[in-house]
Structure formats: C-alpha cells, structure tokens
Amino acid sequence: MNKINPWAFGIVFLSFVAFYAWNGFKLPIFFWGKTYKQDAIIYDTKIHTVSFGGQVNWKQTVRYLYQVDNNWYDGSYTLKGSQSKQNIGNLISLEISKLRPSKHRVRAFYKSDQNIHNIEKHFETRQISGYKKFNVANRVFSLIDFSVQEDSISNYYGILHVKNDSIKELIPIIHYYKSKTYLEYQLIDQSLRNQFQNKYQIMQSQKDEKSIQLKPLEETFYKS
C-alpha cells in the first residue's frame, strides 16, 4: 500500500489555507438551481490593518442589505487589496439563489464615486443618561443609542424614504443590541419597526438650509 507523501500533503494543505485566506476566510459558494442578479447597498464599513513580513496593508469589511419579495437580507464581504475602498451607500452587484434568497455571492462592486449626490450628515446629543448619534450617508442611516444606566448600546441601520428631496421616513432594517450580559443582531420585523417609530420621532428636512431637524438631536457636523 502506497504511503501518502507528506510533502505533497503539506503543499495541498498550504494551498488550501492560502486560498481560504484569499477568499476572506470563507468557503466558495456553489448554487443549485437558478440564480439572478440584483444590487445591494452598503450600510456599514470597517477598516482593518494587517501586518505581514514587516509590511502593513489594509483590509475593508463591508456589510450590505438587499431586498427580495419585500423581505430584507444582509451579508458581509472583506475586500481584497486590489479592490477599491467602498463608502456607505455604494452599490454591490450580487448573484442570488432563487430557491434561497439568503444564499448569495458578491459579483462586483460599482465605482466608489457612483453617488453623484454624496450627502453626509452627523447629529449628536449627549445627556447624563447617555448619548444618541444619528448619521446619514447617501440615503443610508445609522442611529446609535447608548444608555449609561443599562450600560448598553442599541444601533439601528436602515434606509431613508426620500420624496422630492425631502426625507419622509426612516426605514430600520438591522438592529444590533449589546449589553454586559446580552448580545443580539437581527433583521427587524414589523413589531420592532413600530417600536422604533414610536421611540424616535421622525424628522423634517429643510431644503433651503440643507439641514435635518431631529429633536432632541442637535447637528454637530455637516459635509457635502
């Protein structure tokens, strides 16, 4: 019986590890059945620095949302060094399974400057009991609510419903909640969406001032 060559096994193993790392530490996605193409929108980005052989490189992980038949799904992807850095609000082309819409893979990124109207706004209010931060970038929003009493942070991500250049509604899609003893990350259902609408009285947009009024939040920084 022939013995397995340890050198050959080592080469195969290292090749697999290299491919696994190059693929963002994810196994390749294979589809069974029909697929279709659809765009997703980036709602969060994180930059990581990687040190290898004395050289420091960056990696960026993006999280994105997409909708199929009135249901929302989310995913994440770590960009490779040759890919351009992405901004919140940028679009991604996905290949999605018709049988299982949650199963998908990234096809391509659109140019990072595809947002002609690159509007970015930041609001913040600080209180004894904590603080609230509200960020808007290219029709994507995030709302962070930190409570000192509960030592918890609640973070909502979603999109803006805009009509005639005025913001009509915040549509929360992702909810992230973290405390000392509890961690939850979920897609928002109708019940939680109603709670959000009741807790955070939604805003007005003034065209002439290019400003958003969101009581009790106060605008601290604006860039366009």
Side-chain angles (χ1 to χ4, degrees), residues 159-171 197 201-205 207 212:
I159 59 175
L160 309 175
H161 177 210
V162 180
K163 186 176 182 181
N164 297 328
D165 295 330
S166 297
I167 296 175
K168 299 299 183 183
E169 183 184 9
L170 300 179
I171 304 174
Q197 300 294 349
Q201 295 301 314
I202 309 309
M203 45 206 277
Q204 286 183 330
S205 178
K207 297 180 185 178
I212 294 177

Side-chain angles (χ1 to χ4, degrees), residues 96-107:
I96 301 173
S97 168
K98 282 192 173 183
L99 294 176
R100 293 175 53 200
S102 61
K103 187 175 182 179
H104 68 277
R105 64 183 170 199
V106 173
R107 293 184 61 253

Side-chain angles (χ1 to χ4, degrees), residues 107-167:
R107 293 184 61 253
F109 289 85
Y110 292 93
K111 291 183 179 179
S112 58
D113 60 351
Q114 56 88 25
N115 292 296
I116 299 175
H117 303 290
N118 188 357
I119 298 176
E120 186 176 346
K121 300 184 180 183
H122 305 271
F123 303 82
E124 181 176 349
T125 183
R126 293 183 178 273
Q127 305 165 348
I128 297 176
S129 60
Y131 65 80
K132 294 182 180 66
K133 293 182 179 180
F134 181 80
N135 304 305
V136 179
N138 301 318
R139 298 191 178 182
V140 177
F141 80 86
S142 65
L143 193 152
I144 301 173
D145 191 346
F146 173 72
S147 171
V148 173
Q149 295 176 344
E150 299 179 6
D151 193 15
S152 65
I153 188 166
S154 181
N155 199 341
Y156 292 90
Y157 297 94
I159 59 175
L160 309 175
H161 177 210
V162 180
K163 186 176 182 181
N164 297 328
D165 295 330
S166 297
I167 296 175

